[in-house]
């Protein structure tokens, strides 16, 4: 599916290496990975994750703080059910990540939409509208869907508020590995002296989605409560896949694969921008993204992005409307275009259909 | 760990066959199992599950009603969050399965303890105390921990009540495959004409726990809502393991393995009963279990089972007290002894420690 948002480049994944590591472990001791075990996951992988997030993301993490989960969504779900109570107010980036909104609502919390701008979350607006909120869901490295990074000033303001309000900051760092100019921004968690940040990461984008492995780094005070919750809802036994992933990281394959993807994604983004400039001038204007796996394509000012998106879907092109991610923030009309999994051959046909969706009236 | 409740006989699992099937799939098309996919899981496995529960458990199931999950706990979690609202009253077997109680409470429901006897859940008591409850959690094939099977009369009464009250019946069929005299009892779901039963099964006991695969069979009216919830909390992409399990079932390995375990479990239970009769007469009286993976060992009438259990734990023997599973039902003192994973060599030492825990005063 061309342009699907969040779909990584599976064509680049080294399946041969993965299969070799798997076979090695299966030969050595498959029986060790059959039973129940510690709900926080395979201890060597928890160590490898702690080392990785410390080195690559500036997160302060002891292996004991690492809880392995099925992905960022399950992490937010566990956190929400553990630290919030029904009725608690929680700040939510507007526009923001819909799956997190759904999960926070499922836990009974009440979302307080807080707008974002070029410096990320408007902490001042959050404080004015709900200074006594119990938490915030935020993607400081790469706001979804707008793409901004939270500025240092805002980071400090957010942490200061969280300390005063004793609120929990859920830092969703879902695609921080893919930053094109310069170096990845360090995580907010590294600045947090008060233990208010719960850091969430995932291997769904950096390894492969079906692996269903992510992690959260809990502040020391929360480790026991989150471990207890993890054991209740989905006892994540140490599995062979976790052992394979440990080797994949420790033998350097992970870093090499991420580096290779980052290079390919930068190229794919450029190819997309060039093709749109060439073929769709006046209909769609793409703003280059510094990070992540999608760009925003701005439509002419009077367009109805939801209508364009649904016409495109009928033509087989999945480009969600920007307005879909809004709670109440005013937004110019736009579309989200994923470029990570985009192949040049598929792009031309997909852009032709997209042009039709933008130009056309209602689809038949 | 000798006597651990719920631990299957991992020594009997054919790891060689599993590894061979895995390697075959990894060679053929590992890349097909990397991405996101339908949240209900791998379609061929959903078909295999529908066939299995129809043939072996008398469940009426179309593959479209099968939702693959991580195990029985996650199934109950998904169901509770989908069909109940905070404050809803739900019948709960007393004594019963603690993990289900924890999950139902986490979803905000209020548990109504309903006693069990030799015919299973006392439906009449449930109706007298909360006829307007919104649901019930029940293990009709093999009540946990008491071991009774729900009689036909009670089954019909339970379904009649659920139909009148428009209540949801969560049928937890977690270890129904292990019935020693005669044939497994068909599932309650097969008797349900009104679509009120949500059937829950797991491969944690029949294949291996770390696989983290179970299933629920949703009534047609609930398929969409449960699918939506499944996609939100843990998108269970089709994985290589699901393809391997499909072959494991379709090539007959699953049935052979279950048959082999059933025979071994019957022998292990007999060996345990013989050893206890021989070595612990007057201290512990084991009631043979018709089904499942544990027996109840009754202590002398005036014993404090919680104290015995905690002394045993200090000596390295895990035998939970029966009183632990009680909400308010009066119960004679007893211990739960798992026998599925029990090896004769470990048994003698473990029984010696258990005797010490029963005879001894407070542990040091």
């Amino acid at each position: 599916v061309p342009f699907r948002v969040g779909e990584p480049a599976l064509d680049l994944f080294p399946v041969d290496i993965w299969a070799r590591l798997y076979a090695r472990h299966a030969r050595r001791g498959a029986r060790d990975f059959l039973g129940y075990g510690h709900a926080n996951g395979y201890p060597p992988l928890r160590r490898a994750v702690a080392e990785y997030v410390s080195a690559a993301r500036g997160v302060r993490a002891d292996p004991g703080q690492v809880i392995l989960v099925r992905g960022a969504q399950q992490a937010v779900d566990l956190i929400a059910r553990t630290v919030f109570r029904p009725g608690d107010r929680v700040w939510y980036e507007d526009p923001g990540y819909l799956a997190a909104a759904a999960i926070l609502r499922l836990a009974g919390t009440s979302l307080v939409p807080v707008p974002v701008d070029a410096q990320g979350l408007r902490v001042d607006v959050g404080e004015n509208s709900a200074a006594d909120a119990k938490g915030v869901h935020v993607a400081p490295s790469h706001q979804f869907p707008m793409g901004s990074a939270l500025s240092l000033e805002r980071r400090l303001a957010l942490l200061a508020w969280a300390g005063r309000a004793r609120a929990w900051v859920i830092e969703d760092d879902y695609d921080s590995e893919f930053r094109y100019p310069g170096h990845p921004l360090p995580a907010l968690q590294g600045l947090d002296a008060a233990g208010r940040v719960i850091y969430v990461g995932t291997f769904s984008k950096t390894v492969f989605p079906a692996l269903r492995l992510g992690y959260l780094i809990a502040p020391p005070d929360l480790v026991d409560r989150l471990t207890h919750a993890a054991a209740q809802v989905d006892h994540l036994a140490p599995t062979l896949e976790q052992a394979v992933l440990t080797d994949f990281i420790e033998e350097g394959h992970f870093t090499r694969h991420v580096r290779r993807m980052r290079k390919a994604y930068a190229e794919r983004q450029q190819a997309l921008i060039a093709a749109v400039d060439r073929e769709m001038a006046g209909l769609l204007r793409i703003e280059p993204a510094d990070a992540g796996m999608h760009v925003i394509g701005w439509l002419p000012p009077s367009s109805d992005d939801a209508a364009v998106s649904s016409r495109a879907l009928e033509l087989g092109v999945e480009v969600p409307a920007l307005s879909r991610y809004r709670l109440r923030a005013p937004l110019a009309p736009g579309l989200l275009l994923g470029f990570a999994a985009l192949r040049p051959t598929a792009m031309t046909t997909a852009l032709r259909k997209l042009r039709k969706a933008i130009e056309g009236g209602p689809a038949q």
Side-chain angles (χ1 to χ4, degrees), chain A:
Chain A
V1 184
F3 306 139
R4 180 170 280 173
V5 173
E7 187 104 333
L10 299 179
D11 56 310
L12 300 179
F13 186 72
V15 279
D16 48 339
I17 294 175
W18 188 265
R20 180 160 51 75
L21 297 178
Y22 193 98
R24 189 168 74 189
H25 269 287
R27 265 198 314 275
R28 268 193 209 159
R31 215 175 282 283
D32 299 343
F33 296 97
L34 299 179
Y36 291 104
H38 198 286
N40 289 357
Y42 184 55
L45 180 57
R46 294 167 63 204
R47 279 198 295 277
V49 166
E51 277 170 32
Y52 167 67
V53 295
S54 302
R57 307 291 310 117
V59 169
R60 289 186 287 191
D62 178 88
Q65 292 169 258
V66 178
I67 298 178
L68 297 178
V69 292
R70 294 290 175 188
Q73 276 174 253
Q74 197 185 47
V76 177
D77 189 33
L78 270 182
I79 295 165
R81 295 167 85 181
T82 304
V83 305
F84 301 136
R85 292 186 192 184
D88 279 357
R89 293 204 290 170
V90 175
W91 295 5
Y92 175 79
E93 294 176 319
D94 183 13
Y97 183 54
L98 291 179
I103 288 168
L104 288 165
R105 285 194 181 112
L106 201 58
T109 67
S110 167
L111 299 185
V112 178
V114 177
V116 296
D117 63 16
Q119 294 186 63
L121 186 78
R122 288 282 306 271
V123 180
D124 57 331
V125 177
E127 288 204 78
N128 283 336
S129 45
D132 61 345
K134 301 296 184 194
V136 53
H137 177 270
V138 65
S141 303
H142 184 229
Q143 205 276 331
F144 185 91
M146 301 308 286
S148 53
L150 194 64
S151 68
L152 182 59
E153 196 188 336
R154 298 262 178 97
R155 285 173 191 238
L156 297 172
L158 184 62
L159 292 174
W161 166 73
R164 279 195 304 276
R166 299 196 60 73
W168 295 110
V169 179
I170 305 174
E171 177 176 19
D172 191 342
D173 210 30
Y174 72 107
D175 70 358
S176 58
E177 284 84 358
F178 306 118
R179 177 156 288 275
Y180 308 109
H183 292 285
L185 302 170
L188 178 64
Q189 195 262 16
L191 291 173
D192 170 32
R196 306 308 306 174
V197 177
I198 312 169
Y199 178 88
V200 172
T202 181
F203 291 111
S204 293
K205 313 300 181 195
T206 49
V207 184
F208 57 89
L211 182 61
R212 306 316 302 138
L213 279 176
Y215 42 92
L216 62 87
I217 315 289
D221 288 353
L222 279 183
V223 169
D224 287 347
R225 284 169 63 197
L226 285 168
T227 299
H228 180 74
Q232 279 182 342
V233 303
D234 170 24
H235 197 99
L236 189 63
T239 58
L240 207 52
E241 284 72 28
Q242 293 175 45
V244 172
L245 179 58
T246 308
D247 287 358
F248 192 75
I249 295 172
E250 290 185 345
E251 297 180 12
H253 305 297
F254 178 76
T255 307
R256 266 192 296 281
H257 178 53
V258 169
R259 202 184 304 132
R260 198 168 154 222
M261 278 192 287
R262 193 187 295 133
K263 188 164 170 289
Y265 291 3
E267 290 166 6
R268 289 175 184 190
Q269 187 189 162
Q270 283 166 13
L272 174 63
I273 293 176
V276 168
D277 279 354
R278 195 170 59 234
E279 296 176 32
M280 298 180 72
L283 289 177
L284 197 67
R285 183 179 55 80
I286 296 213
E287 199 170 291
D290 285 350
M293 301 161 65
H294 75 272
V295 285
I296 295 178
W298 297 104
L299 291 165
S302 62
S303 314
D304 175 348
D305 59 7
V308 173
S309 171
S310 79
R311 281 199 300 270
L313 194 60
E314 289 181 37
L315 297 166
V317 178
E318 208 178 294
V319 281
L322 189 55
S323 57
R324 207 186 141 202
Y325 301 95
R326 177 183 68 187
L327 294 186
R328 61 181 190 209
L331 284 172
L335 301 171
L336 266 63
L337 289 83
F339 55 77
L342 195 63
R343 318 276 195 103
T345 45
M347 188 166 62
T348 314
T349 321
L351 282 181
R352 203 166 301 138
K353 291 180 180 170
L354 185 54
R355 165 187 277 277
K356 208 168 154 188
I358 298 173
E359 288 177 336
Q364 295 309 312

